[in-house]
Amino acid sequence: MSEPASRGDLPIINTLYHPTFLTESREEVAKFFERVFGVKSTFQRTYTSSPALKYDEAYPLDYSLYTWIADLWFDAIDPRLYNFHMSDPTRSLNRLSELAWLMRDPAAALAACLKAGIRVYSQAGEEVREVSQATSEAMPGIHWLVTEPADAGMTMLLLMMDQPLGDVFGEAFEDPRLIQHYTPPEYESAGPLTVVRTAHHTILTDDLERARRFVRAMGGSEFKQTHNAALNTDSTWFDLNGVVLEYTVPLDDSSQAMAEFRRKPFGLSGLEQKDVYHSVTFEVADLAAARNHLAQCGVGLEADTEHLVLADPQDCLGMRWGFTDQPNRAA
């Protein structure tokens, strides 16, 4: 496999590919999304049946459920069907586990990680020192890097497909972001929750310097600090090429946030996370309408403030969703 050419001073990260949620029932996740968000999901087998895709025959082809929510492609995985390199695939069921990103150039991403002291692994779990090692087990042409949680806080999957393979995948998976020259659309509020777009992703941490190291290595920047009254945490906000990350530090040993932080998930790599992927928050056009719809669906609120509500994960199959009418964005 030839090494891709460097792409200059562009950010290492192109965009977020998907959050990863580990579930024991993709069927129940699909029912939840249709009932609460008003959107339909698609099982991976629908996409992987495309004759244009030439997977390794030994690679599993139906472990994911994909759901578009405005600009977010959400990946709910049954790890018992994926089952690569995890010592116990049931340890983190019904929880967010990690984030997957589309990188522009695997050689530049690898160099940036190594320069920042962030170890990365292949899909096979082997430490990567040369970009030629970063090949997916699904097929050649898919570049795959996984960060070490001790160095980056979480297992972050960095992914890129060679062109024209990206065009083939983009067509087969109905994912226009993979197609060359894609331009993001403008989103309008939609569905009973009046979702407009993703506002931010919240990550619990006790090591902000580690978070800064990863975000800066990927070309992101810090833009403000706030107190999160809903969680009783102190937050530092980062922009990673348009994706907003809230890294937040629990302050109270007896708080829900601290209890969640102590309950470490495991990534698909089998590695224990150091930070905890807490929630995904959406910008909504009408927060009162979102509150009312959640109540009508029997979804309780774990937190309810003037401009932010957090759905109770016990009513959301373990997932924690936030909704806000005042999103935090870099200037």
Side-chain angles (χ1 to χ4, degrees):
M1 180 180 67
S2 59
E3 295 192 0
S6 174
R7 301 186 185 183
D9 295 327
L10 289 171
I12 298 297
I13 294 299
N14 182 19
T15 190
L16 179 71
Y17 190 28
H18 60 73
T20 299
F21 179 70
L22 304 185
T23 179
E24 60 186 340
S25 176
R26 293 177 298 160
E27 291 78 10
E28 290 302 314
V29 171
K31 291 177 185 176
F32 173 85
F33 278 129
E34 188 163 6
R35 178 173 63 88
V36 178
F37 281 82
V39 295
K40 292 187 179 295
S41 305
T42 305
F43 284 87
Q44 184 183 16
R45 57 181 176 267
T46 302
Y47 297 129
T48 51
S49 63
S50 170
L53 302 176
K54 299 177 180 178
Y55 283 96
D56 184 304
E57 292 182 0
Y59 194 81
L61 299 180
D62 188 29
Y63 50 84
S64 282
L65 179 83
Y66 302 119
T67 310
W68 277 108
I69 309 168
D71 60 336
L72 184 75
W73 203 47
F74 191 77
D75 187 3
I77 291 179
D78 185 337
R80 298 166 298 184
L81 302 177
Y82 180 86
N83 205 25
F84 274 117
H85 319 301
M86 291 187 72
S87 56
D88 182 356
T90 66
R91 285 186 296 189
S92 294
L93 285 174
N94 307 316
R95 298 188 71 185
L96 284 168
S97 66
E98 53 215 293
L99 287 157
W101 303 84
L102 293 174
M103 57 181 170
R104 297 182 184 278
D105 175 1
L110 176 60
C113 285
L114 295 179
K115 182 178 179 180
I118 299 172
R119 289 165 289 176
V120 291
Y121 303 101
S122 67
Q123 191 179 7
E126 299 173 348
E127 189 168 354
V128 173
R129 303 295 299 183
E130 302 290 339
V131 73
S132 59
Q133 299 172 269
T135 303
S136 168
E137 295 183 1
M139 65 178 68
I142 300 179
H143 308 274
W144 187 296
L145 295 168
V146 178
T147 62
E148 162 61 54
D151 302 333
M154 294 165 51
T155 51
M156 300 283 195
L157 169 62
L158 310 178
L159 184 76
M160 193 197 84
M161 297 177 190
D162 288 336
Q163 295 293 343
L165 183 60
D167 293 332
V168 174
F169 262 83
E171 292 289 344
F173 279 71
E174 302 175 354
D175 186 349
R177 300 170 303 168
L178 300 175
I179 298 173
Q180 205 167 21
H181 309 306
Y182 167 71
T183 301
E186 289 294 324
Y187 292 93
E188 298 180 357
S189 62
L193 291 166
T194 72
V195 170
V196 178
R197 61 179 66 83
T198 309
H200 61 270
H201 304 262
T202 298
I203 300 168
L204 302 174
T205 189
D206 63 355
D207 191 338
L208 281 171
E209 286 308 310
R210 185 174 58 206
R212 288 187 177 100
R213 181 165 61 242
F214 169 75
V215 174
R216 289 171 178 169
M218 295 297 101
S221 59
E222 179 178 334
F223 65 92
K224 72 173 183 177
Q225 295 181 337
T226 63
H227 176 70
N228 186 323
L231 299 181
N232 190 21
T233 57
D234 282 343
S235 300
T236 302
W237 297 82
F238 298 90
D239 181 279
L240 186 43
N241 203 16
V243 179
V244 177
L245 302 175
E246 177 194 19
Y247 278 89
T248 197
V249 179
L251 302 176
D252 182 352
D253 280 350
S254 62
S255 68
Q256 181 279 329
M258 183 62 81
E260 187 73 1
F261 180 67
R262 288 172 174 153
R263 195 169 66 98
K264 305 293 189 188
F266 289 79
L268 284 173
S269 63
L271 298 172
E272 184 181 53
Q273 311 289 35
K274 304 304 179 184
D275 294 338
V276 173
Y277 189 4
H278 179 267
S279 54
V280 177
T281 296
F282 291 104
E283 177 186 347
V284 296
D286 188 335
L287 188 57
R291 280 192 186 94
N292 291 337
H293 179 69
L294 290 171
Q296 291 169 9
C297 292
V299 175
L301 300 182
E302 188 174 70
D304 187 356
T305 66
E306 183 180 2
H307 296 292
L308 171 71
V309 298
L310 286 174
D312 190 333
Q314 294 186 64
D315 299 327
C316 302
L317 307 175
M319 178 64 210
R320 186 178 278 101
W321 301 105
F323 304 93
T324 183
D325 58 1
Q326 287 194 341
N328 291 277
R329 297 198 185 103

